[in-house]
């Protein structure tokens, strides 16, 4: 009951400045997911306003009073354009449409499932923006694109209703960690300013004790008690839809886990202390499989036995193969209950 009351307060706060008198979700047409499990989240279509081209400031810049060192941020890097999008902003807006380098990206974040995924903003070759539909599936955000008005499942990364049904947006590799860690790696980064054009309490987490309890606000189809419902895990999806969840407990000391998923080699690097985990497909270099080791040299997170040094985006930034880029798996951090609900076959890495 306490969580429901908190959520009703959140809905009132989130919709306080919504000016769209026609707000309401488009639920017409067929769905590729069970339509009876698509729920109205409360604020209505665009009731939670997505941001477009937000103001970004440098470390130590103005309008950052809302941000603490232990707050989580979503980082992305394109050449010299390095940006971070803070959870305390995303908790209130859920989607940020931006341009990073030459890429147009929608940072989609669901505070109910704790999942952040970067989507390409081109739909059918046309540049667009993404908005918040106001709908939820398995407690997870359903974004929509403004060029076709199609709805998407965020965690399934696929269109589920409208012209783009069964089509997948291209995704971009993101890094989730704390603000303290990110700015240590990239002191030249830009970060979301609190000057968004909306009146929101960005220093205040709008969902009360939601992150710390087992309680959910909306129903899900597959409760799984193997872990605490809100434990943050890194889920990795293999080519044959096998899924492995990795816990921060595996990285009490900064480490590299070398394992397999669906017969392919999988490298997980992470740090519990600095609050990050990342998944990569190892490359073959000169016909050989490198052996990877953890590193702690600013933005250089791991190395290989060929003398290469890698950043958090799998790019070799120093060494004989500088410029080489590791491929990534479909992977992102989210609450355990969400991974177990969307992927009931998920295994917990031991």
């Amino acid at each position: 009951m306490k969580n429901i009351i908190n959520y009703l307060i959140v809905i009132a706060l989130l919709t306080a400045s919504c000016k769209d008198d026609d707000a309401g979700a488009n639920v017409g047409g067929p769905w590729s997911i069970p339509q009876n499990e698509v729920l109205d989240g409360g604020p209505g279509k665009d009731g939670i306003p997505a941001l477009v081209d937000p103001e970004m400031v440098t470390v130590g810049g103005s309008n950052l009073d809302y941000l603490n060192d232990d707050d989580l941020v979503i980082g992305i890097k394109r050449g010299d354009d390095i940006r971070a999008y803070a959870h305390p902003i995303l908790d209130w807006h859920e989607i940020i449409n931006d341009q990073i380098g030459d890429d147009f990206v929608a940072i989609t974040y669901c505070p109910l499932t704790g999942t952040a995924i970067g989507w390409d903003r081109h739909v059918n070759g046309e540049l667009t923006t993404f908005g918040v539909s106001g709908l939820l599936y398995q407690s997870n955000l359903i974004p929509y694109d403004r060029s076709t008005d199609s709805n998407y499942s965020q965690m399934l990364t696929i269109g589920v209703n409208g012209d783009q049904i069964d089509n997948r947006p291209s995704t971009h590799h993101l890094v989730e960690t704390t603000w303290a860690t990110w700015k240590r790696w990239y002191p030249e980064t830009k970060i979301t300013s609190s000057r968004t054009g909306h009146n929101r309490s960005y220093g205040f987490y709008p969902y009360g004790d939601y992150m710390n309890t087992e309680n959910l606000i909306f129903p899900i189809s597959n409760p799984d008690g193997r872990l605490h419902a809100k434990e943050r895990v890194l889920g990795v999806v293999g080519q044959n839809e096998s899924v492995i969840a990795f816990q921060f407990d595996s990285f009490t000391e900064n480490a590299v886990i070398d394992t397999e998923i669906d017969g392919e080699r999988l490298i997980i690097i992470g740090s519990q202390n600095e609050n990050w985990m990342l998944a990569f497909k190892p490359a073959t270099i000169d016909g050989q499989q490198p052996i990877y080791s953890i590193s702690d040299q600013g933005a250089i997170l791991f190395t290989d036995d060929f003398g290469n040094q890698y950043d958090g985006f799998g790019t070799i930034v120093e060494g004989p193969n500088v410029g080489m880029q590791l491929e990534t798996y479909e992977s992102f951090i989210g609450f355990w209950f969400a991974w177990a609900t969307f992927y009931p076959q998920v295994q917990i890495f031991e």
Side-chain angles (χ1 to χ4, degrees):
M1 178 63 71
K2 182 178 179 182
N3 273 289
I4 294 174
I5 293 173
N6 284 340
Y7 188 73
L8 292 174
I9 294 171
V10 169
I11 294 304
L13 291 169
L14 290 172
T15 59
S17 65
C18 179
K19 301 293 193 296
D20 185 358
D21 293 333
D22 296 324
N26 172 24
V27 294
W31 289 76
S32 61
I33 53 178
Q35 188 170 354
N36 65 323
E37 296 179 13
V38 176
L39 303 180
D40 186 344
K45 189 173 185 177
D46 291 323
I48 297 175
L51 299 182
V52 180
D53 299 328
E55 179 181 79
M56 307 291 288
V57 296
T58 56
V59 175
S62 58
N63 301 304
L64 288 180
D65 292 346
Y66 74 93
L67 189 61
N68 297 313
D69 276 354
D70 59 355
D71 284 329
L72 292 172
V73 301
I74 308 301
I76 189 169
K77 178 177 180 289
R78 290 293 181 273
D80 295 330
D81 195 348
I82 304 168
R83 301 189 177 212
Y85 303 88
H87 273 215
I89 299 290
L90 287 162
D91 284 334
W92 293 89
H93 294 284
E94 300 191 3
I95 298 176
I96 298 179
N97 298 277
D98 204 3
Q99 180 179 358
I100 304 97
D102 294 329
D103 292 326
F104 294 88
V105 180
I107 307 296
T108 67
Y109 175 72
C110 180
L112 297 180
T113 55
T115 49
I117 305 175
W119 291 7
D120 191 297
R121 286 171 49 196
H122 289 89
V123 175
N124 287 342
E126 178 183 347
L127 181 63
T128 188
T129 59
F130 285 84
V132 181
S133 72
L135 302 174
L136 298 167
Y137 173 59
Q138 303 293 347
S139 200
N140 178 241
L141 167 70
I142 293 183
Y144 78 96
D145 76 75
R146 293 195 169 99
S147 63
T148 72
D149 206 32
S150 299
N151 292 307
Y152 302 76
S153 167
Q154 190 225 22
M155 281 195 68
L156 294 176
T157 61
I158 196 168
V160 292
N161 167 256
D163 290 346
Q164 294 301 300
I165 195 167
D166 295 330
N167 289 341
R168 291 187 179 276
S170 298
T171 57
H172 295 269
H173 179 61
L174 305 178
V175 174
E176 181 173 284
T177 186
T178 65
W179 173 228
T181 298
W182 181 258
K183 66 183 177 180
R184 181 177 73 82
W185 293 348
Y186 299 111
E188 69 275 33
T189 189
K190 296 176 182 177
I191 176 74
T192 39
S193 159
S194 62
R195 191 160 58 188
T196 64
H198 299 272
N199 183 18
R200 298 292 188 272
S201 300
Y202 291 120
F204 168 73
Y205 176 67
Y207 292 90
D209 61 357
Y210 178 80
M211 282 194 298
N212 301 316
T213 72
E214 295 270 6
N215 298 326
L216 303 180
I217 300 168
F218 294 93
I220 57 173
S221 62
N222 185 49
D224 188 321
R226 284 179 287 169
L227 299 176
H228 188 286
K230 307 295 175 49
E231 180 173 344
R232 291 171 61 241
V233 300
L234 176 70
V236 181
V237 183
Q239 62 179 349
N240 297 325
E241 297 299 309
S242 294
V243 183
I244 304 176
F246 294 84
Q247 298 173 263
F248 279 97
D249 286 351
S250 297
F251 300 93
T252 53
E253 296 183 7
N254 297 8
V256 175
I257 292 175
D258 193 333
T259 184
E260 287 189 352
I261 185 168
D262 286 339
E264 292 188 313
R265 192 177 175 202
L266 165 64
I267 298 296
I268 307 292
I269 59 172
S271 168
Q272 185 183 62
N273 183 51
E274 293 200 322
N275 209 329
W276 56 271
M277 288 188 287
L278 300 167
F280 295 103
K281 297 180 181 180
T284 299
I285 300 178
D286 296 332
Q288 300 183 56
Q289 291 280 313
I291 298 173
Y292 297 92
S293 303
I294 202 75
S295 178
D296 187 13
Q297 304 175 51
I300 297 172
L301 302 188
F302 61 112
T303 62
D304 67 30
D305 57 347
F306 285 79
N308 295 306
Q309 300 181 345
Y310 300 76
D311 67 9
F313 296 88
T315 304
I316 297 177
V317 293
E318 293 185 32
N321 302 103
V322 65
M324 180 181 287
Q325 181 84 42
L326 297 184
E327 293 184 50
T328 57
Y329 285 89
E330 181 182 347
S331 62
F332 47 88
I333 291 175
F335 294 141
W336 164 249
F337 85 83
W339 275 104
T341 294
F342 277 89
Y343 298 95
Q345 74 274 28
V346 61
Q347 300 176 10
I348 301 170
F349 180 82
E350 297 293 343

